[in-house]
Every structure is written in structure tokens, then in C-alpha cells.
Amino acid sequence: MEVATVQRFQLNSSWIDLRNFEGKPRASLRYTQRVKEDKRLRVVALASDKRRDHRQRSVSDKNSSALLETGSLIHSPFDEEQILKRKAEEVKPYINGRSMYFVGMMGSGKTTVGKIMARALGYSFFDCDTLIEQAMNGTSVAEIFEHFGESVFREKETEALKKLSLMYHQVVVSTGGGAVIRPINWKYMHKGISIWLDVPLEALAHRIAAVGTDSRPLLRDNESGDTYTAALNRLSTIWDARGEAYTNASARVSLEIITSKRGYRSVSDLTPTEIAIEAFEQVQSFLDKEDGIGRPDGL
């Protein structure tokens, strides 16, 4: 439900040359001004009411459509937060303090969704790329690739995952898109629960084209054509090399499936909170398949 915005109208007194109104009583002039101002305010308020009613009808129509298509109403941001909190409370006892590792293609939203889940669980959050940059004295990922090569970056990535898995508990970690290609990294991530954010390549290409590729060295090339097409071509090549590796994750969160479940037209209609809710559900499904492993004592 959309929150109505309360508008305040500030009336500025206009300077009036009373000589233009000689022979007219001042009280009459003030009354005329007040009537005109009241009329103007009624017109503005009426227009505001009409816009609010139109928006409310639009939301109502959208909710009704969603109810017919999915059997459930579209949630407001407040509803989403409540559902997220409830799902986190349901799942947390069964996780038993294990950490969570987000994997997925670049631009899939690992950091955004990871932070939401960490907050809901009361966990700490770490971004692998940030840890690597700190270990390299503030050198950016793009600069590491440029000056030291990808192999050095991958070594630092493995060191970061090893440290996180051995020294930290109850953390949510966002990994780099290529972390999945080294088997040793899975050894560390499987000490916790790994979550694959599966986003269609077309959606990733749109996201990346919108923000540019300056911070994504593997997407830089001299390919001609529009930014979207260039990004999609590079992502397709990267996917061919990594796609199968993502299936090693404990849980898969498919944005296409969530979109279908909620009756949306595009994955871009999903909110990060909706994706986080689905991630909790998939983690719960993974735990159920463990035949009791990770369940609290006595349950």
C-alpha cells in the first residue's frame, strides 16, 4: 500500500499597492483575498485527492491482478520486512551458527541480498572483494587485475575465504563471481552454507550496462556495438566457463522462479527483500534434506 504524502502549503503574502484600491474598504480587500486563497487551496487539495485516489486504485488493481494470478497479494515494504524477520527467526535455530556464502555471476546482487540476510539473522557481513582490497593496501580489484594479474587476485581470494571459514562464525559472505572455479574455495565455503543467486544473463547485462564496466575488469574489451550487447556477449563467455561450478552450492535462488511465483513480468520487478526471503526458504529446504543435520538438540 503506498504511503500517502502529506503536503504542506506555505502561503507567501504578496505585496499590494493599496493606492490601486482607493475607495475600497481594507476589510473588504482582505476578505476578497481570503476567499480567493481559500478557493485556490480547495482546487489544489481536490487535485491532490484525485491523484491519491488514482494511485490507490492503481495499487488496488495491481493487487487484485496478483491475487488472481498468484493467489496472494503483493506485499508492501512493511509486509516484506515482517515476512523476512519471521523467516529468519524460523531458520536461524537450524543453521546452528554456520556462516553463509553467496556465490553467483557478477552483478547478481550478492552483496545487497547478503547484507539484508545478515541483518535479519544478527550476523556480521563481509565482502570478499573488499577484504582482498584491504589486504592489498587499498588497491582496487580492477587495479589488482591490471598490475598483478588475475592469478594473484585468485590467490588472495582463496586466502580470504580460508580465513573467514576458520576464524569466523555467524557471518554472511559475498564472494567474487569467479570464486567458484577453484575447488579449494568450495572446501572452505562448504564449512557453512553456500547460496547461489541465479540471475538471467540478460538481466545482468542490463544492470552492468547501466552502471558501466570500470570496476569489472573481466568485462572490459574493445568490442564494438552497444554496451548491453557487449556485456551480454562477455557474460555468456564467462557463464560457459563457470555455469556448472555454481551448481555446487547448497541452495539455489532462481530469480526467474521467484518472478513466476509472484506473477511479475520481469526479474527487475523483484525487490532485494523478496529475494532474501526466497533465499531463506531455499536454505530451509536444504537443511530439511540434511536429515536432521544442523537441527537444534531435541528437535
Side-chain angles (χ1 to χ4, degrees):
M1 180 180 296
E2 182 175 350
V3 180
T5 302
V6 180
Q7 298 182 338
R8 296 182 178 178
F9 299 94
Q10 183 177 358
L11 306 180
N12 296 318
S13 300
S14 300
W15 181 81
I16 301 174
D17 189 347
L18 294 180
R19 288 175 300 177
N20 295 329
F21 298 91
E22 290 180 359
K24 294 185 179 181
R26 294 189 179 184
S28 175
L29 176 61
R30 288 196 298 269
Y31 175 78
T32 302
Q33 286 181 276
R34 187 168 65 251
V35 170
K36 289 182 177 179
E37 189 60 45
D38 289 344
K39 183 178 180 180
R40 186 183 70 83
L41 285 176
R42 284 197 299 271
V43 171
V44 172
L46 179 60
S48 177
D49 289 341
K50 287 182 178 179
R51 288 194 298 269
R52 183 173 64 251
D53 291 343
H54 175 72
R55 290 195 300 268
Q56 289 174 341
R57 285 196 299 272
S58 298
V59 172
S60 177
D61 291 343
K62 187 176 182 181
N63 284 347
S64 298
S65 176
L67 179 60
L68 290 174
E69 294 181 8
T70 67
S72 61
L73 292 176
I74 295 174
H75 300 295
S76 70
F78 176 79
D79 292 333
E80 288 180 359
E81 288 296 329
Q82 293 301 309
I83 295 172
L84 176 70
K85 182 179 179 181
R86 185 170 66 250
K87 293 302 297 184
E89 291 174 349
E90 290 176 359
V91 175
K92 187 174 181 178
Y94 302 103
I95 297 175
N96 273 349
R98 280 186 285 181
S99 297
M100 294 186 177
Y101 298 84
F102 273 92
V103 300
M105 291 282 284
M106 60 187 75
S108 58
K110 300 183 294 290
T111 296
T112 301
V113 177
K115 286 181 177 180
I116 292 174
M117 293 185 70
R119 184 177 67 248
L121 289 168
Y123 279 19
S124 299
F125 175 81
F126 290 97
D127 183 286
C128 233
D129 285 354
T130 300
L131 294 177
I132 295 169
E133 290 174 342
Q134 292 173 351
M136 297 289 287
N137 299 317
T139 306
S140 70
V141 171
E143 291 172 332
I144 295 173
F145 270 76
E146 181 179 356
H147 299 298
F148 301 98
E150 183 177 358
S151 60
V152 171
F153 176 82
R154 296 302 172 198
E155 287 294 334
K156 294 297 182 181
E157 187 173 54
T158 297
E159 290 176 12
L161 289 171
K162 179 180 180 180
K163 182 178 180 179
L164 287 167
S165 68
L166 296 178
M167 298 179 62
Y168 292 88
H169 300 282
Q170 297 186 357
V171 298
V172 176
V173 180
S174 170
T175 70
V180 297
I181 63 179
R182 303 189 79 183
I184 187 65
N185 292 344
W186 284 108
K187 174 185 176 181
Y188 300 131
M189 290 190 288
H190 280 160
K191 292 180 180 296
I193 300 171
S194 51
I195 305 170
W196 170 27
L197 285 188
D198 185 8
V199 184
L201 296 185
E202 294 80 7
L204 293 178
H206 279 298
R207 293 180 185 179
I208 292 170
V211 300
T213 60
D214 290 344
S215 62
R216 304 185 185 280
L218 292 181
L219 291 183
R220 293 178 180 175
D221 56 37
N222 297 320
E223 184 177 344
S224 59
D226 64 277
T227 307
Y228 166 77
T229 301
L232 181 59
N233 290 339
R234 289 292 297 137
L235 286 170
S236 298
T237 301
I238 295 171
W239 172 258
D240 289 340
R242 301 177 183 172
E244 187 174 352
Y246 290 123
T247 62
N248 290 319
S250 308
R252 172 182 175 241
V253 179
S254 168
L255 268 64
E256 284 187 317
I257 292 177
I258 310 173
T259 299
S260 177
K261 285 167 59 176
R262 294 186 176 272
Y264 295 160
R265 293 184 177 182
S266 168
V267 297
S268 62
D269 294 330
L270 293 170
T271 67
T273 301
E274 287 176 313
I275 298 171
I277 292 170
E278 178 70 16
F280 274 128
E281 291 179 353
Q282 294 305 317
V283 168
Q284 190 169 33
S285 177
F286 164 72
L287 294 172
D288 288 341
K289 294 176 182 178
E290 283 192 316
D291 295 327
I293 297 178
R295 303 296 178 119
D297 292 338
L299 294 180

